[in-house]
Amino acid sequence: MKKFYLSLLLFAFFLIASLNAQQVTLKIPDMAVDPGTNVHVAVQVENFEDITGVQFSLNWDSNVLQFIGVDDFGLPDLSVDGNFGTMETANGKLRFAWFQQSLTGVDLANMSTIFSIWFKAIGAPSSSSQLMISNEPIVIEVVGLNGMLPYDVSNGTITVQGPSANKETQTTDFILFQNSPNPFTEITYISFNMQQSMQAELSIFDSSGKVVFRENKKFTAGLTRIPVSRDIFSGSGNYFYTLKTERATATRQLIAQ
């Protein structure tokens, strides 16, 4: 009977110890970015106390995000050459491994950044990619002073923003007018007034963010009127057109019938 109570006591002690065990959180925030822009994504931690080592893989959709590099190092002796494997970044895979040589343990405040990644958003508007802390190709491990620690992962999603009829920057560069006629069945005209001659891009997107028309050139000062044929649209519905200069963007909606 005494052995039974002793076993029960040991089991209870083990259970309590397990429940109170330190669990390190590895997390990536959700972010929204404009098409073609660079995004700086922080890899953050919580309950990062007396840590002597951490390793994991990062995976993403290489059709949406293009790897540029890593920086913003928050761990001792971290370096690009010594701690990151970048040979598969073109396929959306980054290796990361760090181990403290002195084995004294490192403490970081909650929501501290251990490193950040630079990407270029190459996906179409309204596309997205999860940025995942994963076991492929390197398994996730977190090591403390007393050995391996449990961990929790919170992955993020990077969304390339789609066109919006309300998206407009206050600007003195130009005035973008509503297309006319709207709705239209055969041809419509997109007009804008440039305050001075400058480089600008006019793009038309469908509701999924696919570009159906694009013209990038140096427009002259004054009123420009561009004819748009119904033939370029795959079907009837709502579309968006955006005029963009180096300093400003404006977007409006057009309706093809």
Side-chain angles (χ1 to χ4, degrees), residues 58-109:
L58 280 167
N59 301 148
W60 63 89
D61 186 343
S62 58
N63 293 313
V64 177
L65 300 172
Q66 182 182 67
F67 177 79
I68 298 175
V70 289
D71 65 3
D72 202 14
F73 300 146
L75 290 170
D77 302 318
L78 209 58
S79 69
V80 175
D81 295 333
N83 302 98
F84 296 90
T86 60
M87 66 287 294
E88 292 186 88
T89 53
N91 298 320
K93 297 179 181 180
L94 176 69
R95 295 171 168 87
F96 169 71
W98 168 84
F99 296 96
Q100 186 192 34
Q101 297 295 324
S102 63
L103 298 178
T104 56
V106 171
D107 295 347
L108 295 178

Side-chain angles (χ1 to χ4, degrees), residues 12 33 46 61 70 74 78 82 85 103 125 127 148 152 157 162 188 197 240 249:
V33 298
E46 292 182 358
D61 186 343
V70 289
L78 209 58
L103 298 178
S127 62
M148 301 290 289
D152 178 52
T157 299
T188 189
S197 177
F240 301 88
T249 301

Side-chain angles (χ1 to χ4, degrees), residues 55-60 85 87-89 91-96 131-141 151 153 155:
Q55 68 173 37
F56 52 81
S57 305
L58 280 167
N59 301 148
W60 63 89
M87 66 287 294
E88 292 186 88
T89 53
N91 298 320
K93 297 179 181 180
L94 176 69
R95 295 171 168 87
F96 169 71
L131 184 53
M132 298 181 294
I133 297 171
S134 78
N135 289 300
E136 175 59 38
I138 293 180
V139 297
I140 304 171
E141 289 185 357
Y151 60 84
V153 169
N155 291 319

Side-chain angles (χ1 to χ4, degrees), residues 15-221:
L15 181 61
I16 292 172
S18 297
L19 291 173
N20 292 330
Q22 175 187 358
Q23 179 170 276
V24 176
T25 297
L26 308 170
K27 63 192 310 180
I28 298 173
D30 294 330
M31 298 183 70
V33 298
D34 290 327
T37 59
N38 294 343
V39 53
H40 198 214
V41 188
V43 179
Q44 301 172 320
V45 293
E46 292 182 358
N47 298 323
F48 202 90
E49 300 174 1
D50 293 327
I51 303 302
T52 60
V54 59
Q55 68 173 37
F56 52 81
S57 305
L58 280 167
N59 301 148
W60 63 89
D61 186 343
S62 58
N63 293 313
V64 177
L65 300 172
Q66 182 182 67
F67 177 79
I68 298 175
V70 289
D71 65 3
D72 202 14
F73 300 146
L75 290 170
D77 302 318
L78 209 58
S79 69
V80 175
D81 295 333
N83 302 98
F84 296 90
T86 60
M87 66 287 294
E88 292 186 88
T89 53
N91 298 320
K93 297 179 181 180
L94 176 69
R95 295 171 168 87
F96 169 71
W98 168 84
F99 296 96
Q100 186 192 34
Q101 297 295 324
S102 63
L103 298 178
T104 56
V106 171
D107 295 347
L108 295 178
N110 284 344
M111 302 302 293
S112 290
T113 298
I114 57 174
F115 66 88
S116 296
I117 317 170
W118 281 101
F119 292 105
K120 182 176 181 179
I122 61 173
S126 300
S127 62
S128 65
S129 170
Q130 262 204 310
L131 184 53
M132 298 181 294
I133 297 171
S134 78
N135 289 300
E136 175 59 38
I138 293 180
V139 297
I140 304 171
E141 289 185 357
V142 181
V143 184
L145 291 175
N146 297 315
M148 301 290 289
L149 291 173
Y151 60 84
D152 178 52
V153 169
S154 177
N155 291 319
T157 299
I158 312 301
T159 302
V160 182
Q161 298 183 119
S164 168
N166 298 321
K167 182 179 179 183
E168 187 162 346
T169 304
Q170 294 295 324
T171 178
T172 57
D173 285 357
F174 61 82
I175 300 173
L176 178 62
F177 301 105
Q178 184 65 54
N179 66 297
S180 180
N182 191 48
F184 70 100
T185 56
E186 295 182 2
I187 192 169
T188 189
Y189 293 87
I190 296 176
S191 302
F192 49 89
N193 190 79
M194 307 293 291
Q195 295 302 310
Q196 59 184 8
S197 177
M198 67 176 63
Q199 193 76 22
E201 181 177 273
L202 178 67
S203 302
I204 303 177
F205 305 89
D206 64 17
S207 58
S208 71
K210 180 182 178 181
V211 178
V212 299
F213 172 88
R214 176 169 285 158
E215 184 171 356
N216 190 325
K217 70 176 189 178
K218 190 172 186 178
F219 291 97
T220 58

